[in-house]
Amino acid sequence: MLDTTPLTTAVDRFADRLRSAPQSRLQQGVAAEALATARELSARAQRAEEPDREPRIMPDAGIFAVGDQLAVAGRDLAAAMETASPQELDEAVRCVEGAAARAFGPGPR
C-alpha cells in the first residue's frame, strides 16, 4: 500500500490557504487555479476508479467553496492511489504544489 500522506498534506495546505484567503484574492484568479486543480484531481481519481468511463467534470460551486472542493478531490485521489506507483503519487503532489505556487507564490513545503 502506497503512503499517500504527501498528497493529502499538499492538498490540505492548499485548501487551508484557500479557505483563509480574502475574497479579493480569490477573485484575482486564485479560485480559478484551485478549481482547475480540483477538477484535475477529480478526473484522475475517476480514471483510476473507473478507467472505462469518461470522467465527470466537477462543477463550479463558487469561490468560497473551492477550498472544500479541492480537499474532497484530493482525498478521493489519495484513496484511489493507494495502489498507484510512487511516480504517479509524486506527479499528483507536484500538480497540487505547482497550483498552490501559481496561486499564492512559493510557500513552505
Side-chain angles (χ1 to χ4, degrees), residues 9-107:
T9 299
V11 165
D12 289 346
R13 185 176 295 129
F14 190 13
D16 287 345
R17 291 185 77 185
L18 290 163
R19 290 180 187 121
S20 65
Q23 180 177 353
S24 61
R25 186 75 189 261
L26 293 170
Q27 291 172 324
Q28 293 171 351
V30 170
E33 181 71 42
L35 179 60
T37 304
R39 285 177 170 168
E40 174 62 26
L41 299 179
S42 175
R44 288 180 189 208
Q46 291 176 63
R47 283 192 295 269
E49 293 171 345
E50 302 174 296
D52 296 332
R53 184 174 179 177
E54 185 69 24
R56 294 161 307 282
I57 297 174
M58 179 179 280
D60 183 345
I63 63 171
F64 298 114
V66 74
D68 292 333
Q69 287 182 288
L70 179 75
V72 168
R75 295 285 174 168
D76 285 350
L77 181 57
M81 293 190 83
E82 288 184 349
T83 59
S85 72
Q87 293 81 11
E88 289 173 300
L89 176 62
D90 288 344
E91 181 182 318
V93 171
R94 282 193 307 274
C95 173
V96 173
E97 289 177 343
R102 287 187 300 278
F104 292 106

